[in-house]
């Protein structure tokens, strides 16, 4: 890798040039990252020119540059949002004190763990999506997949920067380990459950981008409140890129819904599978699956970890500054839906230990807004079906509902009922192989697979006919 100007290769606004030790650590890490990228990034596309956006600054007016690029030449940079002058910690025991430019010794281990957990999800999602390029429904979608992937790579850089710059040797070891774990690997899995699931088809990809990237939005927004200022600034800028990932998910599922409705009307049937579409019943099962595994990512309903993160000033609430309370929550309570015998019921819990649930509530409300937009499309076609979010207790592996079986409408049910009904609620092997059978690549500009409608507009003002990926 000699002869590379790393300062040129790592665009940044953190004055890397002035910090030789940090620069050396990142220079050592970069070739390992590129090896990982070659092995785990979008398969078969590393030598292809793709119309990508690259973050080149944090200027709200023009932070991104668009152009053709081969992905290994993407300039994974380090960008922190502009510092807020005199920023004070907004919550917890340190409320009102100046934000920390460096890691306070007593919070070092906890902060490291939070940053590693966040960092681990970024390469994991790239690994999950490794094979998808082979079956893209259009060049437009293929380009979006690559865009999302290079930016997940950049988000990994963002966390590695924090680890290398602020956590010394421990941080460098964690940076290495982030490249060694693998999604779904039995011996070295990724840290959080949803990131070890497979993303074998594009319906799963769009659902993942809608539901799981949205967990990213809420977790990043909470970390953006952190008293540790570099983490806050990093997350604030990551959220700018994250918006596109959720756009890909919401419009991707929306376009499938649109196409399904067109087929339903044209052929006067719900069973659009025969006509190369994905029926709404199957869509509902995928929603149930991806929503439930993403709900797990918020942790337990009642969590002393979450309370400690907050009290220590490390992780706040979504839009902390907008909450009209004392931002310490020592005496406050929060209504949490928990298991109460044979039903799910609300119970008042101390607000501090309920912070995971509160964030999950914010997240569910945001998901519901997206579903409403899909349902408007269905309604516009005069079809009397509504897609719904499953109950928060459905198909959970983390938290109190992990102990029981819950139906999508929130009834606690017996194992026997679960065994008899779960095929109606979650994708079956047959559903998956049907969806898989539709995954035939479409790579002519302006052409789209049978099961998805074209988008309303192209990328960066380009028309749909534009060659977003030059497959040559
Ligand atoms: N899987 O006290 P609890 C994104 C563990 S996505 C496996 O309830 P806590 C992205 C937990 O570690 C956003 N284990 O949990 C999206 C704990 O272990 P210990 C990622 C789990 O700590 C798409 C124990 O169970 N960011 O950016 O309050 C593409 C008890 O847990 C899980 C973050 O997650 C699970 N799902 O909350 C690309 C933010 N859940 O202590 C990117 C950073 C819990 O007993 N992380 N456990 O050993 C956090 O804030 C918290 O760690 C969590 C968990 C919210 C994840």
């Amino acid at each position: 890798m000699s002869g590379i100007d790393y300062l040129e290769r790592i665009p940044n606004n953190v004055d890397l040039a002035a910090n030789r030790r940090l620069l050396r650590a990142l220079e050592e890490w970069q070739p390992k990252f590129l090896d990982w990228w070659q092995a785990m990034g979008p398969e078969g596309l590393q030598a292809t020119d793709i119309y990508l956006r690259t973050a080149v600054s944090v200027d709200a007016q023009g932070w991104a540059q668009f152009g053709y690029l081969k992905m290994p030449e993407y300039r994974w940079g380090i960008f922190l949002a502009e510092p807020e002058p005199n920023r004070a910690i907004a919550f917890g025991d340190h409320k009102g004190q100046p934000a920390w430019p460096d890691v306070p010794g007593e919070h070092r281990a906890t902060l490291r763990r939070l940053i590693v957990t966040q960092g681990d999800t970024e390469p994991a999602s790239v690994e999950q999506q490794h094979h998808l390029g082979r079956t893209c429904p259009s060049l437009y979608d293929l380009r979006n997949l690559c865009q999302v992937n290079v930016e997940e790579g950049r988000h990994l850089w963002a966390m590695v920067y924090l680890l290398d710059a602020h956590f010394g040797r421990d941080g460098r070891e964690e940076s290495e380990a982030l490249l060694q774990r693998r999604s779904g690997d039995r011996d070295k899995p990724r840290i959080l459950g949803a990131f070890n699931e497979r993303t074998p088809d594009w319906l799963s990809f769009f659902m993942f981008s809608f539901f799981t990237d949205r967990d990213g939005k809420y977790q990043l927004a909470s970390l953006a409140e952190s008293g540790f200022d570099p983490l806050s600034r990093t997350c604030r800028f990551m959220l700018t890129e994250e918006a596109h990932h959720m756009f890909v998910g919401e419009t991707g599922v929306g376009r499938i819904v649109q196409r399904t409705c067109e087929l339903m009307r044209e052929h006067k049937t719900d069973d659009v599978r025969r006509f190369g579409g994905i029926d709404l019943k199957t869509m509902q099962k995928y929603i149930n699956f991806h929503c439930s595994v993403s709900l797990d990512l918020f942790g337990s309903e009642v969590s002393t970890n979450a309370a400690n993160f907050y009290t220590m000033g490390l992780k706040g609430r979504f839009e902390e500054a907008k909450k009209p309370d004392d931002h310490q929550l020592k005496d406050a309570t929060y209504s949490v839906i928990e298991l109460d015998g044979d039903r799910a019921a609300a119970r008042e819990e101390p607000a501090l230990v309920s912070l995971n649930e509160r964030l999950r509530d914010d997240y569910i409300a945001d998901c519901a807004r997206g579903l409403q937009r899909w349902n408007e499309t269905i309604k516009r076609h005069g079809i009397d079906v509504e897609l719904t979010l499953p109950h928060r207790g459905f198909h959970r592996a983390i938290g109190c509902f992990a102990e029981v079986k819950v139906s999508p409408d929130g009834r606690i049910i017996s194992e026997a009922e679960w065994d008899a009904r779960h095929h109606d609620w979650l994708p079956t092997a047959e559903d998956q192989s049907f969806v898989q059978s539709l995954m035939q690549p479409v790579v002519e500009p302006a052409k789209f697979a049978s099961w998805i409608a074209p988008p309303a507009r192209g990328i960066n003002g380009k028309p749909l006919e534009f060659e977003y990926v030059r497959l040559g």
Side-chain angles (χ1 to χ4, degrees), residues 37-55:
W37 178 266
Q38 286 283 354
M40 298 316 302
E43 188 186 23
L45 292 161
Q46 299 300 327
T48 306
D49 286 316
I50 304 170
Y51 187 70
L52 292 174
R53 85 175 172 189
T54 305

Side-chain angles (χ1 to χ4, degrees), residues 113-115 117-119 121-126 128-129 148 152 155 191-195 208-209 212-217 219-220 223 238 242 245 293 295-307 309 315 356 359 398-399:
R113 193 175 128 210
L114 278 172
I115 292 169
T117 308
Q118 176 63 48
T121 63
E122 315 291 358
S125 66
V126 173
Q128 289 170 296
Q129 296 160 17
V148 167
E152 300 303 4
H155 293 177
I191 296 171
L192 298 173
F195 293 90
F208 179 95
S209 309
T212 309
D213 277 284
R214 194 172 309 275
D215 168 52
K217 167 182 165 184
Q219 298 295 345
L220 288 174
L223 294 173
M238 288 163 77
E242 200 68 36
H245 305 187
V293 298
L295 289 176
D296 273 341
L297 292 171
F298 291 82
S300 312
E301 293 75 15
V302 172
S303 163
T304 49
N305 280 344
F309 299 156
K315 183 180 175 190
N356 285 345
L359 195 61
I398 300 280

Side-chain angles (χ1 to χ4, degrees), residues 135-143 202 255 259 440-455 463-469 471:
T135 56
C136 63
S138 72
L139 289 184
Y140 165 91
D141 291 293
L142 182 59
R143 176 265 168 206
W202 282 75
R255 288 161 51 210
R259 182 70 187 131
Q440 305 300 331
V442 175
V443 294
E444 261 178 81
K447 291 267 186 322
F448 289 82
S450 65
W451 48 271
I452 189 164
L464 292 189
E465 300 75 50
F466 185 72
E467 197 176 6
Y468 290 100
V469 181
L471 289 176

Side-chain angles (χ1 to χ4, degrees), residues 316-360:
R317 288 172 292 177
F318 182 66
E319 297 187 329
E320 182 67 45
K322 290 193 189 161
K323 311 263 190 231
D325 55 31
D326 69 358
H327 304 277
Q328 290 188 318
L329 308 178
K330 302 258 191 232
D331 304 314
T333 60
Y334 189 75
S335 172
V336 175
I337 298 178
E338 286 175 281
L339 197 56
D340 180 10
D342 59 357
R343 59 192 196 114
R347 188 185 309 158
E348 285 298 310
E349 293 282 359
L352 271 178
V353 292
S354 309
L355 288 167
N356 285 345
E357 194 60 11
R358 186 174 199 140
L359 195 61
R360 189 161 21 235

Side-chain angles (χ1 to χ4, degrees), residues 260-269 272 379-383:
T260 300
C261 292
E262 288 165 6
L263 290 169
M264 284 170 80
R265 273 192 22 170
E266 187 182 336
H267 300 286
K268 302 195 172 38
T269 175
V272 295
K379 227 194 218 145
R380 259 202 315 277
H381 284 81
I383 295 167

Side-chain angles (χ1 to χ4, degrees), residues 5 20 51 75 99 101 131 139 154 167 176 187 263 269 273 328 330 347 379 382 392 396 444-445 456 466:
D5 179 350
R20 304 309 297 182
Y51 187 70
R75 294 161 73 230
H131 297 299
L139 289 184
R154 205 199 68 73
F167 294 86
E176 301 270 315
D187 301 324
L263 290 169
T269 175
R273 286 191 178 195
Q328 290 188 318
K330 302 258 191 232
R347 188 185 309 158
K379 227 194 218 145
R392 71 184 66 220
R396 291 286 302 280
E444 261 178 81
F466 185 72

